[in-house]
Amino acid sequence: MSQRQPRRPQGDQTSDQEAIKYGDVFDVTGRLASKPVAPRDAATMRTAENQVLGKTLDASAAAVMQSATDVNVMSGVVGPGQGNKMVERVGVAVSKSRDVQGKVVVAEAIAGQIVGQCTPSDAQGITPSPSPTPVRGDEGWTTSPTPRGAADHNGITIGEVLEATAISVGDKPVHQGDAAAIRVAEVRAAGSNVTQRRGLGATAQAAATFNDRVSYDYNKMTISDVLSDVSSKLPQDKAVTSEDADGLTGSELRNKPDMTPTPGGVADTMATAARVNRDDTP
């Protein structure tokens, strides 16, 4: 009697849980949040940006999706030609208009949910046109955070939290929950929904994927291995807010079997920093 062989993931299926998901890099809800960012999705958004804007912007949904899918493909959790059926079925949307100050505003949606609205710095050459009917998700419009520089340090910063975590739980092997929280921390520190292909998030994900394949803890990569010299690896930083802490906690819990934050870990320390910053606000 023969046994049925397991099938390889196809379409919008994935058998691994370490993939970077839409909920890790965008403020989305529902089924989309749990879907891995896939190459065909990123290509579709790039095509939409090129058709509407005449170019692909550096700080856009397409750029975020491409960075995430590069990590997913490199980690082997998503196939080079994989896509999500719900993204292909509902589609993506890119619109451009002018705000009250006359600046070009670009809004983007994936599978019916708005994932970002920005005023691109390289808007020269982009001709505004009447915006199409916006695609609204359950939460309505979602505005991407404005990039913040080194001056926006009115409180404990994300970088300082990561440095503290490297000390408090530095010997802990990196797990998928840690990697997810670090990815979100990097994105929120940058303030523009842009992930770095070789940044902290990518390093943490690679470490977690490596550790999943190693039997003994003493051979695994640790939190301190990933978070050493954080200040030089974060191009921008910002003070921790409650929204930042909530985003990290949700991402870590979605990637942990026991659904509890690691004591002294990234999300736990970020939550503490957010409370301190909130209490210190006049």
Side-chain angles (χ1 to χ4, degrees), residues 12 30-33 35 84-91 111 113:
D12 64 346
R31 291 179 58 204
L32 181 63
K35 297 295 183 182
N84 283 292
K85 291 181 180 178
M86 69 178 300
V87 176
E88 294 172 350
R89 182 176 64 252
V90 181
Q113 297 193 52

Side-chain angles (χ1 to χ4, degrees), residues 83-247:
N84 283 292
K85 291 181 180 178
M86 69 178 300
V87 176
E88 294 172 350
R89 182 176 64 252
V90 181
V92 302
V94 179
S95 68
K96 56 187 177 182
S97 58
R98 286 195 186 276
D99 63 14
V100 293
Q101 297 178 335
K103 295 180 180 179
V104 174
V105 177
V106 175
E108 298 180 287
I110 301 172
Q113 297 193 52
I114 298 296
V115 296
Q117 181 175 318
C118 67
T119 301
S121 59
D122 58 346
Q124 185 176 3
I126 298 178
T127 303
S129 61
S131 300
T133 302
V135 181
R136 291 181 178 271
D138 295 337
E139 301 299 321
W141 288 91
T142 300
T143 303
S144 298
T146 302
R148 302 169 185 257
D152 187 18
H153 287 181
N154 297 320
I156 302 171
T157 69
I158 290 176
E160 290 169 343
V161 167
L162 296 179
E163 290 174 347
T165 305
I167 297 173
S168 62
V169 292
D171 293 335
K172 176 187 178 297
V174 181
H175 294 161
Q176 295 300 332
D178 304 318
I182 292 170
R183 288 198 305 265
V184 175
E186 179 184 38
V187 169
R188 288 187 173 271
S192 60
N193 272 355
V194 176
T195 57
Q196 300 181 74
R197 184 176 300 184
R198 295 179 177 84
L200 283 173
T203 303
Q205 183 60 60
T209 301
F210 172 81
N211 288 348
D212 284 345
R213 299 165 182 168
V214 174
S215 300
Y216 301 104
D217 281 356
Y218 60 78
N219 286 328
K220 294 183 177 182
M221 298 184 68
T222 66
I223 294 290
S224 61
D225 291 331
V226 173
L227 296 182
S228 62
D229 196 19
V230 168
S231 59
S232 67
K233 297 175 183 177
L234 282 180
Q236 289 182 290
D237 202 358
K238 64 180 284 292
V240 180
T241 66
S242 297
E243 290 76 14
D244 297 327
D246 291 344

Side-chain angles (χ1 to χ4, degrees), residues 9-115:
Q10 295 180 353
D12 64 346
Q13 297 176 331
T14 178
S15 60
D16 295 291
Q17 297 186 4
E18 63 260 22
I20 299 177
K21 302 176 180 65
Y22 280 99
D24 296 328
V25 292
F26 294 118
D27 187 10
V28 295
T29 59
R31 291 179 58 204
L32 181 63
S34 64
K35 297 295 183 182
V37 185
R40 287 210 308 268
D41 304 347
T44 300
M45 182 59 82
R46 285 199 309 273
T47 299
E49 288 186 7
N50 283 320
Q51 288 177 345
V52 177
L53 308 175
K55 63 176 76 175
T56 297
L57 303 180
D58 291 335
S60 65
V64 175
M65 293 166 72
Q66 189 60 56
S67 296
T69 197
D70 285 346
V71 174
N72 284 345
V73 172
M74 180 179 65
S75 302
V77 297
V78 170
Q82 188 169 324
N84 283 292
K85 291 181 180 178
M86 69 178 300
V87 176
E88 294 172 350
R89 182 176 64 252
V90 181
V92 302
V94 179
S95 68
K96 56 187 177 182
S97 58
R98 286 195 186 276
D99 63 14
V100 293
Q101 297 178 335
K103 295 180 180 179
V104 174
V105 177
V106 175
E108 298 180 287
I110 301 172
Q113 297 193 52
I114 298 296
V115 296

